[in-house]
Amino acid sequence: MKIYIKSCVFIFAILCSFGKNLNAQRNTTKPKLVVGIIIDQMRYDYLTRFESKYGDGGFKRLINGGFSLENAHFNYIPTYTAVGHTSVYTGTTPDNHGIIGNNWYDKYEKKSIYCVDDANYKTVGNNGDGGKKSPYRMLTTTMTDQLKLAQNMNGKTIGIGIKDRSAILPAGHTANAAYWFDGGSVGHWISSSYYLKKLPSWAIRFNTSGKADEYLKKPWNTLYDISTYNESIADDNNFEEPFKGEDKPIFPHNIPSLRSKNNNYSIIKAIPAGNSLTVDFAKAAIDGENLGQSDFTDFLAVSFSSTDYVGHQFGVDSKEIQDTYLRMDKDLERLLNHLDKKVGQGNYTVFLTADHAAVQVPSYLKSIKIPANYFSYKKFEDYLKSVTKKYFGAEDFIENISNFQVFLNKENIEKKNFTVTNVADVIAENAILFKGIYKSVTAKSMQSGTFSKGILNYLQNGYNQKFSGDVLLVPSPSTISYPKKGSTHGSGYSYDTHVPILFYGKGITVGSSNKKFEIIDIAPTISNLLGIEFPNGNTGKIIREALIK
């Protein structure tokens, strides 16, 4: 009996030791810091188009030393900044997380609203209104929220982006702080009282360092000889919008002299220096917050927004966008090198993606005989009023048209003894006859049917019954509502949905895949790596190929 008891004790001790070793192994697989990088308006082909001019320490380091998804797409409409950032971090689409645009028409308040505006909070960092923000309109949790919950609210989460929405939404509801750049006459990084009572000392030091002014003292010229930028169209063309004060949209751009005519500090948002300033601030946050130095996993969510401003103004084929990405490559290298130094190579995990891509300037496409067009909301609204007058004898049934959605005035429809369903059906049937509209679907169809593939599936994933309109529209390919110089995004076509997804660092294998994945797959993949619960609205799947088995 004694021998039996001793044997049991010995076996129990071995099992306990094994369990402790197993837990130790599990703990060592978790990074000390996760860095989520979103590059605003980055098409996948920017990786391949400019590959020969990238250095080895930026994009190529992530590709060659990490895992690259070559066929990753957004799976919803609309592909806008706020929606993209939210979908990456929540692992789901607007039908669940509730962020259906940057701005959208609120059919309850009868006005247009902005995704992160919140009058319940005050600006932290100055006396302006730029900090009256919060993530309260985002209805689900993010992977950053889930990490905080899993660690009993320990560990730090910091969001950083030139745009407020790009800093706030990824950081989630439970972040320690989110910071964004207040331009105009201010030129400082600010936050909201949702997070903080005052800026930390490191952020104050940064704001008073004069970094922004240093960048604005230099003209924007090309990083390399402009004659070598053979991947882009001619610098002097009719498809780009010059800065205010410029006669032509060509290099060099004299930023010091243009500054006063382009809202002072705000011009830094629209040049590559905005990305450089973001890296500088991110480095200051890593140091000031001691990220990656505790027993818990921290999360730094960084968004680079200047790429989007440049893309909108100059278009995706411009020498300006090429130079912006060559400089972005250098800034990315600076950030990675700082992580090596402060957190340690092998101690952190990075993912890099985009919030959407972009279409070529339609006027440029038309000039080379590729079908493209422009859409006028005013003409479309006049057309729909003629339709409702013809079928219902009324012109006041249309309450709002925005984001390619039609909101009906239910009160006026009911007063005329018609039903919203009947009016929506007629509008959808006639909207398709308008030039530039490729598909039109009623909200009723979104609610009662299931579209399992194709662009209507994307439309359904972006449709939120509580917030979306009564008729949803899909424009024809390469058709946008925008000036004829510069370009935009928002559709479900490949030029807007195809973006990079790169994983790198702790827990990530080396390789690539050309299988189709979706942007919502990032959150469950990172959550699985961290051993935490998925965001509570998650509909994505784990990208197992990217993780060390």
Side-chain angles (χ1 to χ4, degrees):
M1 176 65 76
K2 289 182 179 178
I3 295 173
Y4 173 76
I5 292 172
K6 286 182 178 178
S7 299
C8 289
V9 170
F10 178 70
I11 292 169
F12 180 74
I14 291 175
L15 289 173
C16 288
S17 175
F18 176 77
K20 288 179 181 178
N21 289 335
L22 183 61
N23 285 332
Q25 288 175 355
R26 284 175 178 167
N27 289 338
T28 58
T29 63
K30 292 184 180 181
K32 290 180 175 294
L33 175 66
V34 177
V35 182
I37 299 172
I38 294 183
I39 301 180
D40 202 324
Q41 202 190 116
M42 184 176 183
R43 291 163 57 104
Y44 173 79
D45 65 358
Y46 290 158
L47 285 181
T48 55
R49 183 172 142 204
F50 308 137
E51 180 183 10
S52 65
K53 292 183 174 62
Y54 288 143
D56 293 327
F59 291 117
K60 284 184 179 178
R61 175 178 173 181
L62 298 183
I63 294 169
N64 296 331
F67 198 86
S68 173
L69 303 183
E70 300 168 351
N71 189 21
H73 290 262
F74 284 89
N75 63 329
Y76 61 80
I77 299 170
T79 44
Y80 294 142
T81 296
V83 194
H85 282 75
T86 305
S87 298
V88 167
Y89 277 83
T90 62
T92 192
T93 45
D95 58 325
N96 292 314
H97 61 59
I99 301 296
I100 64 170
N102 295 331
N103 302 81
W104 64 89
Y105 182 72
D106 188 313
K107 53 192 177 186
Y108 307 103
E109 296 185 21
K110 307 293 186 185
K111 67 178 184 179
S112 180
I113 58 173
Y114 180 59
C115 56
V116 293
D117 273 351
D118 192 341
N120 293 309
Y121 298 97
K122 297 180 180 179
T123 304
V124 172
N126 63 42
N127 296 321
D129 294 332
K132 295 181 176 181
K133 315 288 178 184
S134 86
Y136 87 98
R137 293 188 190 278
M138 180 170 59
L139 302 180
T140 59
T141 62
T142 59
M143 57 177 142
T144 45
D145 287 326
Q146 295 299 149
L147 178 59
K148 294 283 276 189
L149 290 169
Q151 299 182 134
N152 197 25
M153 301 306 288
N154 289 298
K156 292 182 178 179
T157 298
I158 305 292
I160 294 172
I162 287 240
K163 297 178 181 178
D164 48 25
R165 57 187 181 271
S166 303
I168 292 169
L169 297 167
H173 303 277
T174 58
N176 296 81
Y179 302 95
W180 51 96
F181 188 71
D182 198 0
S185 61
V186 179
H188 285 173
W189 293 84
I190 63 171
S191 189
S192 165
S193 60
Y194 176 88
Y195 308 100
L196 304 161
K197 292 183 179 178
K198 63 179 182 178
L199 291 182
S201 57
W202 65 262
I204 294 172
R205 283 195 302 272
F206 189 93
N207 280 338
T208 56
S209 68
K211 270 285 184 182
D213 283 296
E214 286 179 27
Y215 286 118
L216 295 178
K217 290 176 181 176
K218 306 170 186 176
W220 176 17
N221 212 337
T222 52
L223 182 63
Y224 305 118
D225 188 333
I226 195 170
S227 67
T228 66
Y229 284 27
N230 300 316
E231 296 80 5
S232 305
I233 62 176
D235 192 30
D236 189 3
N237 62 67
N238 294 320
F239 314 116
E240 302 171 13
E241 183 65 36
F243 286 107
K244 291 178 182 177
E246 281 186 327
D247 295 326
K248 292 184 177 182
I250 60 175
F251 282 107
H253 300 284
N254 193 342
I255 301 305
S257 68
L258 294 171
R259 176 177 176 174
S260 62
K261 296 179 181 177
N262 292 270
N263 199 18
N264 200 356
Y265 285 102
S266 292
I267 197 173
I268 202 169
K269 301 178 182 181
I271 60 177
N275 295 326
S276 302
L277 185 69
T278 303
V279 168
D280 295 337
F281 191 76
K283 288 170 61 179
I286 292 168
D287 297 348
E289 297 289 346
N290 294 312
L291 298 182
Q293 306 301 317
S294 76
D295 294 332
F296 300 96
T297 300
D298 298 323
F299 205 118
L300 176 64
V302 186
S303 180
F304 293 98
S305 304
S306 293
T307 44
D308 183 67
Y309 287 100
V310 174
H312 277 294
Q313 185 170 348
F314 297 98
V316 306
D317 294 295
S318 64
K319 295 198 187 302
E320 281 80 3
I321 202 70
Q322 178 168 0
D323 192 68
T324 297
Y325 274 90
L326 297 182
R327 291 177 181 276
M328 179 76 252
D329 184 56
K330 299 293 186 186
D331 283 325
L332 183 57
E333 181 176 1
R334 285 201 299 127
L335 179 59
L336 294 173
N337 288 343
H338 193 74
L339 290 169
D340 290 343
K341 179 181 176 182
K342 293 295 182 177
V343 185
Q345 209 166 356
N347 289 327
Y348 62 87
T349 303
V350 172
F351 70 82
L352 182 150
T353 189
D355 57 347
H356 52 74
V359 64
Q360 274 102 347
V361 179
S363 57
Y364 167 65
L365 293 178
K366 292 174 75 173
S367 75
I368 55 174
K369 301 180 180 179
I370 292 177
N373 217 326
Y374 290 91
F375 178 85
S376 168
Y377 275 107
K378 178 65 173 67
K379 291 180 180 178
F380 183 63
E381 183 178 3
D382 290 342
Y383 169 71
L384 288 190
K385 285 181 178 179
S386 71
V387 169
T388 58
K389 184 175 183 180
K390 174 182 176 181
Y391 286 91
F392 306 106
E395 293 182 315
D396 58 356
F397 284 3
I398 310 297
E399 189 166 281
N400 178 270
I401 305 174
S402 55
N403 295 339
F404 285 99
Q405 297 184 35
V406 179
F407 293 82
L408 298 178
N409 189 309
K410 297 174 175 57
E411 292 82 1
N412 290 347
I413 290 171
E414 290 171 358
K415 284 178 183 177
K416 294 278 189 177
N417 294 319
F418 296 109
T419 66
V420 171
T421 300
N422 181 218
V423 175
D425 284 339
V426 170
I427 287 177
E429 289 169 4
N430 284 271
I432 201 71
L433 304 176
F434 189 83
K435 185 178 181 180
I437 297 298
Y438 191 56
K439 294 182 184 294
S440 60
V441 186
T442 65
K444 198 72 174 177
S445 298
M446 292 281 102
Q447 296 166 25
S448 59
T450 299
F451 301 96
S452 59
K453 60 182 180 179
I455 204 159
L456 289 182
N457 169 251
Y458 286 13
L459 195 66
Q460 192 163 48
N461 289 339
Y463 169 75
N464 187 293
Q465 183 176 355
K466 191 174 183 69
F467 304 125
S468 296
D470 300 291
V471 178
L472 288 79
L473 310 164
V474 177
S476 301
S478 299
T479 297
I480 60 175
S481 175
Y482 206 73
K484 293 187 177 180
K485 294 185 177 183
S487 193
T488 193
H489 48 85
S491 79
Y493 296 112
S494 182
Y495 52 74
D496 278 338
T497 66
H498 189 195
V499 297
I501 298 181
L502 306 176
F503 294 99
Y504 176 87
K506 187 80 168 178
I508 303 300
T509 193
V510 176
S512 63
S513 173
N514 58 15
K515 287 170 56 179
K516 187 173 183 180
F517 288 95
E518 294 171 339
I519 204 76
I520 60 173
D521 297 336
I522 294 174
T525 302
I526 294 296
S527 297
N528 182 254
L529 172 68
L530 296 174
I532 63 175
E533 183 54 68
F534 296 171
N536 62 13
N538 179 76
T539 51
K541 60 183 181 298
I542 299 169
I543 306 169
R544 299 190 182 279
E545 293 93 326
L547 302 178
I548 293 175
K549 299 182 173 56

